[in-house]
Amino acid sequence: MKQRIKRLDKNKPSRSLTKIIIIKVFPVIAFLVAGFLLVPYGPMYFQNNKVANVNTKAEAILFYNSNCSHCQKVYPKIFWQNVLNFNNESKQIQIINVQNANNKYYLAEFAIQSTPTFMKTTNINQRLVSTNSHQIKQFIQKGGH
């Protein structure tokens, strides 16, 4: 009987835990990480076909140009902040792509000279042009530089 059990065990393909992790778990984790890193870039280029007006309920506004390397650095952080605060409009940052022809008038209306420019909705004179995460967080929470 013992010999028969041993023969049955030899006939079964043996897969170690390492092989299972490499074959099944690792691709799923890699896919999730890649998605997390790449998701913000899709909306960056296709968002804001036309922004009809400024959302005064938002905490701030980000004026960006999708071809600007500095904007590309900042945009994912703001994207994820908005995703995490999707139920709380007052914690969100309105995002306006000024490269879009329909939104170019915002450059003149708010005298935007460079991007990325953050502007408080409560006081259009409070602005910040920066890619520094700490400065941006401080500006959004407290205003000013």
Side-chain angles (χ1 to χ4, degrees), residues 30 57 66 90 118 122:
K57 293 179 183 176
S66 56
S90 66
F118 292 87
T122 55

Side-chain angles (χ1 to χ4, degrees), residues 35-113:
F36 178 79
L37 295 173
L38 298 175
V39 162
Y41 293 101
M44 181 175 180
Y45 292 100
F46 301 110
Q47 184 177 2
N48 297 325
N49 288 333
K50 183 175 183 179
V51 178
N53 54 9
V54 170
N55 182 0
T56 56
K57 293 179 183 176
E59 193 161 18
I61 301 168
L62 166 62
F63 296 99
Y64 79 99
N65 181 328
S66 56
N67 289 330
C68 164
S69 62
H70 300 293
C71 299
Q72 291 170 359
K73 180 179 176 185
V74 169
Y75 186 90
K77 297 170 189 166
I78 304 306
F79 174 87
W80 286 114
Q81 177 181 329
N82 286 346
V83 168
L84 294 173
N85 292 304
F86 74 96
N87 280 335
N88 190 352
E89 194 174 9
S90 66
K91 294 283 183 190
Q92 291 192 357
I93 298 172
Q94 183 178 16
I95 302 171
I96 300 176
N97 183 358
V98 294
Q99 180 188 9
N100 185 300
N102 295 318
N103 299 327
K104 286 195 182 281
Y105 70 94
Y106 284 113
L107 294 170
E109 184 177 334
F110 293 110
I112 304 298
Q113 297 177 359

